[in-house]
Amino acid sequence: MRISLSEALLLPLLGTAMLLATAPASAEPPAGPPTPWPVDRCREILDKTLPVHLAPDLSALTAGERAAVADLLAAGEILQRLYEEAKHPEAAAAGAEVRAAAAAGDPAAACRAELFRLFQGPVATTLDNRREPFLAVAPESPGKSVYPPGITAAEIEAFLAAHPEERAAILGERTAVRRATAEALARDLAALARHPALDTLHPGLADRLRALAAEPDPARLYAVPYAMAWADEHVALQRLLFRAADHVEGDDPEFARYLRNRGRDLLGNDYESGDAAWVTGRFARLNAQIGAYETYDDALFGVKAFPSLSLLLRDAAASATLARGMERLQEVEDALPYAPHKRVRADIPVGAYEVIADFGQARGTNTATILPNDALFSRRYGRVILLRGNIMQHPELFAIAERRFRAAVAPAHAAELALDAGHLRTLWHEVGHYLGPDSTADGRPLDQALGAWADALEELKADLVSLFAVQRFAAAGTIGPEARRAVEADGVLRTLLEHRPRRDQPYQTMMLAQMNYFLDRGLLAADGDARLTVDYERYPETVAAMLAEVLALQRQGDPAAAEAFFTRWTSWTDELHEPLAARLREAGGPRYRLVRYAALGEERP
Ligand SMILES: [Zn+2]
């Protein structure tokens, strides 16, 4: 689960997709064969893009750690390509073509190559928040490339109704779904034959594929593990992780063990050993998120995780401070307005890091990460929290946040935001994912029970737990009134949106729900010019009330009830939301962020 400092602004980079079926008619992409965007359309986006350059000082690393960094960056490049391919089947070919044309000196192609880097594929999020190809490729499909092209949720549900035994595989977090054509089956069987290790780790799979191949039927669906869908790449990843492990064996044996476990996980398509080693490991200077974790790109069922890698450098002093802040964890869990409460680990591994480089689904200006999402693994081993300091404290990103806040609130509130407040709110947002119900009252996993609403509810819960925890800390005297006020102001900033959210945008949807709820409870009030005043006295009661509703919806696990809740709280009016959004658009500056990494040889623009 991720969160960002400049949430509304970075969301185009989070890989959210438009569900064409739910978009208004005017938002349909233009008909006709796809054509590359002209240079002026391309420029229009890049002119609204803030370059962010990350260049942490790696001089304290040992020679072994530096060699491991090189291998992990190479692994990241593989996962980057897999991510692009998972999002669009034509990404690799279209990307290679546009980069070649750019290298040959075509300025329009150079511009489009830059867009490809920004959007990690051939589909842009336009200034009016639509998803549209900018290269000559097919429009994006909600299931991207991890389901058969153009398939509908209804067809998959119909298939599962007839084949209930396939549900776990078809809706698995790390499986690719295919139509049982002779061609697809032959390709998968060839991959198994090429890599005996995969055949060994997935017993029975070859027989199952052969049985399907005996009677190919495109109406029949089947699923293969990612390890097999991208077999050559996964074998290469495993080798790179093992070699990186050898490099750090002497300096950081626990990190080395984690890398080897994760290398095996990738081939076995089962992350338990690596997740256990990751969450409970005590590493030296390096850390890394490796594999497919987040499901935001799956606009069909919201269950498929997409490939990622983040390579991080630990900030020892800041990490020690954070660990002390975790001492009140159980107290916050016990105070949450739901029952029954659970025991939470007192020793959640929370660390402050600098981003060396991000790849695939993890690329962007996310300020923090908490993983794994898997309910069983997090119950068994806990979850690791990685705060990303060189994003959270990036001066240009904070300056934008401050301009947006000032554009939204009455002048009396103008100075209430503070750079450090974002840290605390972000930290407790991440911890918030750790607290509250792990499953519905009748024992179903939240993701499966709540379907398309699971992410929006989970992120909303995390935001509210953060604001709730800060009230507790302030009441207990753990934090001072100024810090409390700054976090509360940051909570108001969190609700500000430049654009009316689409239903398939979980972050924006829950941000709008908070704004409307806060307005309803008098925590926020808007004057005739849609300028907000904040009644901070109303914070504790408002947050507790909304949190109680959200926790109840999670316990209930009824998607219809969740939909009714979001329908009620996500109205968008011409009197308030639209003029406020217009002011934010004007104040916010660049809409998109393009992150470049010194570790990849990318220079400050
Ligand atoms: Zn989150």
Side-chain angles (χ1 to χ4, degrees):
M1 298 282 170
R2 303 158 303 158
I3 187 189
S4 78
L5 175 72
S6 46
E7 301 83 359
L9 297 174
L10 75 84
L11 280 151
L13 300 185
L14 291 181
T16 50
M18 181 170 71
L19 280 168
L20 292 177
T22 60
S26 63
E28 294 288 344
T35 49
W37 277 7
V39 73
D40 56 330
R41 278 207 75 187
C42 176
R43 278 274 142 231
E44 195 180 57
I45 300 271
L46 292 184
D47 286 348
K48 297 222 178 321
T49 300
L50 176 77
V52 174
H53 191 247
L54 301 180
D57 178 6
L58 302 180
S59 62
L61 296 182
T62 64
E65 285 168 332
R66 249 172 268 186
V69 163
D71 282 336
L72 292 170
L73 293 175
E77 298 285 9
I78 292 175
L79 286 158
Q80 178 68 35
R81 288 200 301 278
L82 292 187
Y83 177 67
E84 291 168 6
E85 195 184 317
K87 283 211 307 175
H88 200 290
E90 297 167 78
E97 191 185 320
V98 77
R99 281 188 292 268
D106 174 352
C111 188
R112 291 192 289 265
E114 190 87 333
L115 278 197
F116 192 97
R117 174 71 171 73
L118 173 64
F119 293 111
Q120 306 194 73
V123 180
T125 298
T126 61
L127 291 168
D128 56 356
N129 210 22
R130 291 178 297 111
R131 296 282 294 167
E132 192 182 316
F134 56 88
L135 298 178
V137 298
E140 189 168 77
S141 72
K144 311 291 175 3
S145 320
V146 291
Y147 298 93
I151 200 167
T152 60
E155 184 184 345
I156 291 179
E157 284 295 3
F159 175 80
L160 292 176
H163 301 271
E165 75 287 354
E166 298 272 3
R167 180 168 286 272
I170 296 281
L171 296 185
E173 190 181 7
R174 298 180 188 105
T175 63
V177 180
R178 312 207 198 279
R179 294 188 182 278
T181 62
E183 194 192 7
L185 288 157
R187 214 171 38 237
D188 286 335
L189 281 163
L192 274 184
R194 222 163 40 242
H195 301 294
L198 292 178
D199 191 33
T200 304
L201 285 166
H202 300 276
L205 182 58
D207 287 344
R208 213 160 52 80
L209 297 181
R210 273 187 219 106
L212 289 169
E215 270 180 276
D217 173 7
R220 179 87 169 76
L221 302 177
Y222 72 103
V224 292
Y226 282 175
M228 243 212 69
W230 296 301
D232 298 346
E233 292 86 352
H234 276 71
V235 168
L237 284 168
Q238 181 262 333
R239 290 194 177 131
L240 283 166
L241 297 194
F242 270 48
R243 199 168 74 181
D246 290 344
H247 289 310
V248 290
E249 185 66 58
D251 298 320
D252 195 350
E254 287 203 38
F255 189 53
R257 294 192 71 83
Y258 159 58
L259 293 175
R260 289 198 190 94
N261 274 295
R262 179 45 34 99
R264 285 187 290 267
D265 291 351
L266 290 173
L267 295 187
N269 220 57
D270 172 354
Y271 282 18
E272 181 162 6
S273 73
D275 281 351
W278 188 27
V279 170
T280 60
R282 295 289 174 263
F283 304 155
R285 281 167 291 268
L286 295 174
N287 205 329
Q289 167 190 331
I290 305 166
Y293 279 105
E294 298 290 5
T295 59
Y296 305 106
D297 288 301
D298 174 2
L300 204 54
F301 285 95
V303 295
K304 302 287 181 200
F306 277 60
S308 69
L309 188 145
S310 280
L311 183 57
L312 305 165
L313 178 71
R314 187 176 181 86
D315 177 337
S319 294
T321 309
L322 287 172
R324 285 195 297 276
M326 289 293 93
E327 282 159 16
R328 311 190 79 98
L329 201 57
Q330 186 68 47
E331 195 185 307
V332 175
E333 163 69 24
D334 292 343
L336 292 181
Y338 86 111
H341 290 290
K342 61 185 181 190
R343 294 298 306 168
V344 290
R345 298 170 65 99
D347 57 343
I348 289 191
V350 53
Y353 293 86
E354 291 200 83
V355 175
I356 300 173
D358 292 321
F359 300 89
Q361 191 279 330
R363 184 166 279 180
T365 50
N366 309 314
T367 50
T369 304
I370 178 165
L371 287 172
N373 295 325
D374 186 289
L376 177 68
F377 299 169
S378 59
R379 176 170 65 72
R380 280 189 175 162
Y381 313 111
R383 306 175 91 184
V384 66
I385 298 176
L386 310 163
L387 297 186
R388 297 151 59 94
N390 55 347
I391 306 266
M392 282 199 285
Q393 293 182 313
H394 197 281
E396 279 153 332
L397 294 174
F398 179 69
I400 289 171
E402 211 168 30
R403 280 208 304 277
R404 296 178 65 243
F405 186 72
R406 287 183 180 154
V409 299
H413 298 299
E416 285 164 355
L417 208 60
L419 180 59
D420 284 346
H423 272 92
L424 196 56
R425 199 185 65 78
T426 301
L427 171 64
W428 280 93
H429 171 102
E430 296 303 330
V431 174
H433 284 305
Y434 200 96
L435 307 182
D438 292 327
S439 58
T440 63
D442 56 4
R444 290 168 297 151
L446 296 179
D447 266 18
Q448 282 172 30
L450 290 159
W453 297 105
D455 281 344
L457 267 185
E458 178 63 25
E459 294 306 326
L460 179 53
K461 177 198 76 177
D463 264 14
L464 293 169
V465 167
S466 181
L467 297 170
F468 180 86
V470 166
Q471 304 302 331
R472 308 272 312 168
F473 297 156
T478 317
I479 63 167
E482 275 173 29
R484 169 187 180 168
R485 177 56 47 88
V487 171
E488 290 173 339
D490 204 56
V492 172
L493 175 72
R494 175 67 157 172
T495 69
L496 303 178
L497 288 164
E498 269 79 353
H499 299 274
R500 181 179 195 164
R502 301 186 308 256
R503 279 267 170 121
D504 66 317
Q505 294 181 305
Y507 284 90
Q508 291 97 324
T509 297
M510 66 91 187
M511 288 152 69
L512 178 58
Q514 287 182 73
M515 162 162 287
N516 288 340
Y517 199 99
F518 292 0
L519 285 160
D520 182 74
R521 296 290 172 125
L523 165 55
L524 293 178
D527 67 15
D529 296 329
R531 203 162 273 281
L532 300 172
T533 53
V534 191
D535 181 356
Y536 287 100
E537 296 299 310
R538 302 202 60 82
Y539 239 111
E541 186 190 317
T542 304
V543 163
M546 192 174 192
L547 184 54
E549 288 188 47
V550 169
L551 295 171
L553 285 168
Q554 288 191 320
R555 289 287 288 165
Q556 197 183 344
D558 175 5
E563 178 165 4
F565 173 86
F566 281 110
T567 300
R568 174 165 182 211
W569 293 113
T570 54
S571 60
W572 182 272
T573 67
D574 288 343
E575 297 73 43
L576 170 62
H577 301 86
E578 200 46 54
L580 183 55
R583 240 174 24 244
L584 288 164
R585 287 195 292 268
E586 201 173 313
R591 158 105 180 256
Y592 310 93
R593 282 102 186 76
L594 176 47
V595 190
R596 292 181 205 279
Y597 307 94
L600 299 181
E602 295 181 309
E603 297 186 2
R604 193 178 297 277

